[in-house]
Amino acid sequence: MISINVWTRIKREHGLYRYSPSGQFFARVRFKGKLYRRKLDTDDLDLAKRKLRDFKNDLHRTDATKGNTSFGKVLDDYAATLTGSKSTLEKKRATIEKLKATWFGIDSLPLRTVKPSQVTAWLAKHYGDQSASYYNSALTVIRDALDMAVADRIILESPAKGLAYRKRKQPIRLAPTFEEFQAIVADIRAQRFNREAEQSGDFVEFLGLAGLGQAEAAAIKRSDVDLESGRTIIYRHKTDTGFVIPIYPQLRPLVEKLCSDKKPNERLFSINESRKALANACKRLELPQFTHRSLRRMFVTRGIERGVDVKTLAEWQGHRDGGKLILQTYSHVRPVHSQRMAQLMSTDEPQNVIPITAQA
């Protein structure tokens, strides 16, 4: 064995090294002009030799005819495979366009020469001052494109493989009280010179009373509503799944109104959203700028405050995680409810509790 500082090269095993402090083996192999390193995760020599051979075989299985495929070509190929909602596609394509516009020589740069440090530097420069969500979205695009290149045997390993996502903050987002919500609906309907005032008021009221998102509510047809059984079928485009919600007592009068004289394939709403009407109402009432999502948060928060169990609320939201997401997102409730619950934590027994007497 020939000693190189803390590294020891193993004789007759080209590319195999032992790291002296830990005794762990590492592979260090040059292939087609590029140096590849891999931790073999063992201190056993025989096992390290087998892992080294597997590593070399993986290198040789990369397609030699694609060795000079450019980073830009890989991004183009990846862009052609994109699927999803319109907003998702727009975000991913925007990241790809930024990569191609700002990464010097990307259309001629062989992908095999790209290093992790280059990917990190690009992300820091163009997304470093952005939110964790934007940063992570850009990293996801790069990772997915490079993973596809690995699957196509253009490169052995993705240079983005070890890059970490940023931890997203958990802000406390505002939601209106039920009284504020009722005032907003009334204000929208009171705008007599707006020809869509009644429809916008119905749409906003429906979101708040049903606890649904804008796209879900807009897609509901008359045939999805069963007034006799008190259930409505909801389709979620984002996850391509369907679920069922009850027609809550607070919601029934509005649903009956919306279903009146509607044909089976006719939508309950002729509009797809009511952002402008909602924003203007909040402005007139001097309230925070609540959004469609704020109304959904109000519904869930109100459900928690009224004692609806989290698992049931999750089912009403179309979640399949048993309430995990709701527990993470709604770990807080309104201060008034928290203070009311705090009164239960006293040293005195509540008046409606019958004390248990000890058996003789």
Side-chain angles (χ1 to χ4, degrees):
M1 296 185 180
I2 301 173
S3 178
I4 308 176
N5 297 328
V6 295
W7 294 95
T8 303
R9 179 165 58 85
I10 308 302
K11 284 186 176 182
R12 294 186 293 279
E13 290 293 338
H14 177 70
L16 185 60
Y17 291 81
R18 185 200 294 270
Y19 187 60
S20 298
S22 64
Q24 293 286 308
F25 286 96
F26 289 76
R28 185 175 182 274
V29 179
R30 190 171 294 278
F31 181 72
K32 295 180 183 178
K34 183 175 179 179
L35 184 63
Y36 293 89
R37 299 180 180 86
R38 176 178 287 182
K39 184 179 179 182
L40 300 179
D41 292 316
T42 183
D43 57 3
D44 179 84
L45 179 59
D46 291 334
L47 180 57
K49 289 178 180 179
R50 291 197 294 273
K51 287 192 170 187
L52 175 65
R53 286 193 292 272
D54 290 341
F55 180 51
K56 289 181 177 179
N57 289 336
D58 286 342
L59 285 171
H60 285 282
R61 277 196 291 268
T62 56
D63 192 338
T65 64
K66 299 178 180 178
N68 288 322
T69 301
S70 72
F71 192 3
K73 175 65 167 58
V74 166
L75 289 172
D76 290 338
D77 291 343
Y78 168 68
T81 68
L82 293 177
T83 59
S85 66
K86 182 179 178 181
S87 60
T88 298
L89 290 175
E90 288 176 350
K91 290 176 183 177
K92 289 185 176 182
R93 285 170 180 156
T95 301
I96 293 171
E97 290 173 5
K98 180 170 283 191
L99 274 163
K100 298 198 71 175
T102 59
W103 193 303
F104 180 73
I106 196 169
D107 288 323
S108 59
L109 176 70
L111 182 59
R112 59 183 173 78
T113 66
V114 175
K115 300 176 181 178
S117 59
Q118 293 174 300
V119 178
T120 302
W122 186 88
L123 284 167
K125 180 177 180 180
H126 297 282
Y127 289 88
D129 58 350
Q130 301 292 323
S131 68
S133 177
Y134 276 99
Y135 182 93
N136 293 343
S137 295
L139 176 54
T140 295
V141 168
I142 295 173
R143 272 188 164 178
D144 289 348
L146 296 179
D147 285 345
M148 192 177 77
V150 172
D152 288 342
R153 296 183 178 178
I154 296 172
I155 52 175
L156 177 66
E157 287 185 333
S158 166
K161 181 180 178 181
L163 302 187
Y165 287 109
R166 286 184 177 176
K167 188 174 181 180
R168 298 179 64 173
K169 296 179 180 178
Q170 294 292 332
I172 296 178
R173 295 183 176 90
L174 293 176
T177 64
F178 194 66
E179 293 72 25
E180 289 172 336
F181 161 68
Q182 291 176 312
I184 289 170
V185 173
D187 183 84
I188 293 174
R189 289 207 171 101
Q191 306 309 307
R192 297 181 180 178
F193 298 105
N194 183 348
R195 62 182 180 179
E196 291 186 350
E198 186 66 20
Q199 185 76 187
S200 295
D202 288 346
F203 194 84
V204 169
E205 185 176 18
F206 187 89
L207 296 185
L209 297 182
L212 295 175
Q214 159 257 320
E216 296 158 357
I220 298 175
K221 297 179 180 178
R222 173 63 184 88
S223 57
D224 297 326
V225 183
D226 188 338
L227 291 172
E228 290 187 11
S229 67
R231 294 161 24 117
T232 302
I233 298 172
I234 307 299
Y235 179 71
R236 175 164 290 166
H237 291 273
K238 186 175 182 179
T239 57
D240 198 27
T241 57
F243 59 100
V244 176
I245 66 168
I247 300 177
Y248 314 108
Q250 64 182 14
L251 181 62
R252 178 168 279 275
L254 177 60
V255 170
E256 290 178 346
K257 168 190 167 184
L258 293 170
C259 288
S260 178
D261 299 326
K262 289 283 195 318
K263 296 178 181 179
N265 289 326
E266 193 174 353
R267 294 194 314 168
L268 295 192
F269 297 100
S270 60
I271 59 177
N272 294 321
E273 48 88 17
S274 54
R275 291 184 177 86
K276 187 175 180 181
L278 178 56
N280 288 339
C282 290
K283 185 176 181 180
R284 286 189 294 268
L285 295 170
E286 298 183 347
L287 294 173
Q289 283 297 303
F290 297 122
T291 65
H292 289 152
R293 288 178 181 243
S294 302
L295 305 179
R296 190 176 209 156
R297 285 194 290 271
M298 178 204 71
F299 176 89
V300 176
T301 301
R302 190 163 177 258
I304 293 172
E305 293 176 354
R306 285 180 161 245
V308 180
D309 64 89
V310 173
K311 185 176 183 298
T312 299
L313 279 170
E315 292 173 355
W316 292 349
Q317 292 297 297
H319 299 170
R320 298 184 177 181
D321 59 1
K324 181 180 178 181
L325 180 61
I326 287 180
L327 286 172
Q328 291 175 339
T329 308
Y330 297 89
S331 57
H332 67 284
V333 290
R334 290 192 297 125
V336 172
H337 173 70
S338 179
Q339 291 164 9
R340 188 166 66 245
M341 293 298 100
Q343 301 307 309
L344 300 177
M345 305 303 295
S346 66
T347 56
D348 301 324
E349 288 289 348
Q351 295 181 357
N352 63 341
V353 173
I354 299 176
I356 299 175
T357 57
Q359 296 293 327

